[in-house]
């Protein structure tokens, strides 16, 4: 398929400039003013609009079995929803059960992802340790395009990695040229605080944030950063939600340590008042970890993005319907943790970031696409509008508006944490691998069209 995108302003992480973009097959083949194009080419009129790299969401959970249930979106519906919102690549997670072979889990997730409509790639979680985990990490880096390994420091008695696992796995990442990432919350503190609250009969969702105060997150962030410092590895902290964790990252970076931070669209916009609702379903729908925080923390996160101490925006898209969340009706610690957002991330970040002057359009591209591509080593294939890059492109109308609602979303699930929010700035056309997958409100996602994207190691891969 040949497509010419005419009359727009191309916005990359480094600059914005007037240019046409010609796509042939799954690649961009020309970028420049007044391009010639074959008569057969599909023409997209981008006048008055921005032409940006397709979004990369570095943190999603499609089809995740978790807390006794499975997320509402599978890899087709979840990636299709992402395409509707301008996100053309997701980085999801293979999460082995403790004692489960990493390779077995990896192939399981690869099977689930066959139906994806958009491109995808995987972080692999290290939820336990023995020599087979050490070996399989090498196999995954050398032969399966994995260059990042996730560590949940929370979720005691489930997938929590203790310090021994963290140290051994971080060391193995360094050997392999892979980057360790962490969910930074002290799982023991969370568990004990949960027990305290339940013993006091405080079993409602309003107890969720009480069991995970910022200090519980900051302790783990500082610990992960210290382990990485001692072992000389980089570290990427997912869903940084509070000022104290951001301060730990800022301190480490000022000392020359290679630490990256991720902010969720939800944590940037939604505050902890949601947990005070008398409506269980409403409050439970917002139960995710780390929890939504006060407006003071939101302001800090925006400063982190603006100041370059937070690098990516993600969603942690992990949706459960009301019936699933009701598992925690009598005990908040049993409410499946997770919220959605993959469809709304880019519009929400544009509206709250660019329209307010916090971010320039190029900075928007950095935090929604280019930085994730660079940190996870798929740049410039992804995260750039340039000759030779994948034809993952979003044509963005800064004047158009949309009101977000669960009633009209493409994602599965019966709730949207951004419900009722009217955003200004939305995608009018999205190309994924050169195919028009979204155009003037029509979603043309195709099951199975998505590709697995290999992510090379950060150093030449040696044997053993
Ligand atoms: O912790 C995560 O990232 C997964 C299990 C999604 N749930 C959540 O509450 N963030
Ligand atoms: Zn997490
Ligand atoms: Zn997650």
């Amino acid at each position: 398929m040949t497509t010419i995108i005419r009359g727009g302003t191309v916005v990359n992480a480094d600059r914005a400039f007037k240019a046409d973009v010609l796509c042939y097959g799954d690649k961009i083949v020309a970028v420049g003013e007044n391009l010639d194009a074959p008569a057969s080419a599909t023409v997209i009129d981008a006048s008055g609009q921005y032409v940006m790299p397709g979004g990369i969401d570095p943190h999603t959970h499609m089809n995740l079995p978790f807390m006794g249930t499975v997320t509402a979106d599978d890899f087709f519906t979840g990636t299709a929803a992402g395409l509707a919102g301008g996100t053309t690549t997701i980085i999801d997670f293979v999460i082995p059960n403790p004692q489960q072979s990493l390779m077995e889990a990896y192939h399981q997730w690869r099977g689930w992802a066959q139906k994806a409509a958009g491109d995808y790639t995987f972080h692999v979680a290290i939820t336990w340790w023995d020599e087979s985990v050490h070996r399989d990490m090498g196999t995954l880096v050398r032969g399966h395009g994995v260059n990042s390994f996730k560590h949940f420091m929370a979720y005691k008695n489930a997938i929590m990695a203790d310090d021994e696992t963290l140290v051994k796995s971080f060391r193995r990442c360094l050997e392999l040229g892979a980057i360790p990432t962490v969910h930074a919350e002290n799982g023991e503190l969370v568990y004990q605080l949960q027990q305290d609250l339940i013993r006091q009969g405080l079993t409602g969702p309003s107890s969720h944030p009480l069991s995970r105060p910022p200090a519980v997150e900051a302790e783990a962030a500082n610990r992960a950063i210290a382990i990485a410092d001692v072992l000389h590895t980089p570290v990427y902290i997912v869903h940084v939600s509070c000022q104290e964790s951001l301060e730990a990252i800022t301190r480490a970076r000022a000392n020359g340590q290679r630490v990256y931070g991720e902010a969720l669209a939800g944590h940037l916009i939604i505050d902890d008042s949601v947990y005070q609702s008398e409506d269980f379903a409403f409050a439970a729908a917002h139960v995710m970890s780390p929890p939504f925080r006060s407006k003071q923390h939101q302001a800090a996160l925006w400063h982190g993005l603006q100041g370059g101490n937070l690098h990516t925006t993600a969603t942690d898209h992990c949706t459960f319907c009301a019936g699933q969340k009701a598992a925690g009706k009598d005990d908040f610690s049993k409410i499946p943790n997770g919220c959605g957002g993959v469809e709304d991330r880019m519009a929400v970040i544009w509206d709250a970031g660019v329209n307010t002057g916090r971010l320039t359009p190029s900075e928007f591209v950095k935090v929604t696409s280019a930085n994730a591509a660079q940190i996870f080593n798929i740049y410039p294939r992804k995260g750039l509008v340039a000759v030779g890059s994948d034809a993952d492109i979003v044509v963005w109308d800064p004047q158009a508006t949309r009101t977000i609602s669960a009633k009209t979303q493409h994602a599965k699930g019966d709730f949207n944490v951004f419900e009722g929010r009217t955003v200004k700035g939305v995608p009018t056309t999205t190309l994924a691998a050169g195919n028009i997958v979204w155009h003037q409100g029509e979603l043309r996602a195709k099951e199975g069209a998505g590709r697995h994207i290999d992510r090379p190691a950060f150093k030449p891969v040696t044997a053993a």
Side-chain angles (χ1 to χ4, degrees), residues 59 150 152 155 183 238-239 289 316:
H59 191 156
K150 171 75 172 291
F152 291 93
Y155 306 125
H183 170 135
V238 308
H239 49 46
S289 297
D316 200 355

Side-chain angles (χ1 to χ4, degrees), residues 53-54 56 58 89 91 147 311-312 365-366 368-384 455-456 458:
I56 300 172
T89 302
I91 310 184
N147 70 19
H311 305 87
T312 63
V365 167
K366 276 184 189 173
T368 59
S369 183
N371 282 355
Q374 290 172 357
I375 292 167
F376 294 111
N377 213 13
I378 48 178
Y379 186 91
R381 177 180 180 185
K382 304 285 189 187
L384 181 68
R455 291 185 284 119
F458 294 92

Side-chain angles (χ1 to χ4, degrees), residues 9 72 88 109 125 134 156 207 219 241 250 301 366 398 439 442 444 450:
T9 298
T88 51
W109 256 267
H134 179 276
K156 175 183 168 71
S207 291
E219 184 282 331
S241 77
T250 305
L301 297 181
K366 276 184 189 173
H439 185 60
E442 182 198 359
R444 304 177 187 169

Side-chain angles (χ1 to χ4, degrees), residues 7-11 18 44-51 395-398 426-429 440:
T9 298
V10 170
V11 184
K18 290 289 282 179
I44 301 289
D45 176 6
S47 43
Q49 301 184 71
Y50 293 112
V51 180
V395 180
W396 193 268
D397 182 347
V426 296
T428 53
T429 302
Q440 305 297 358

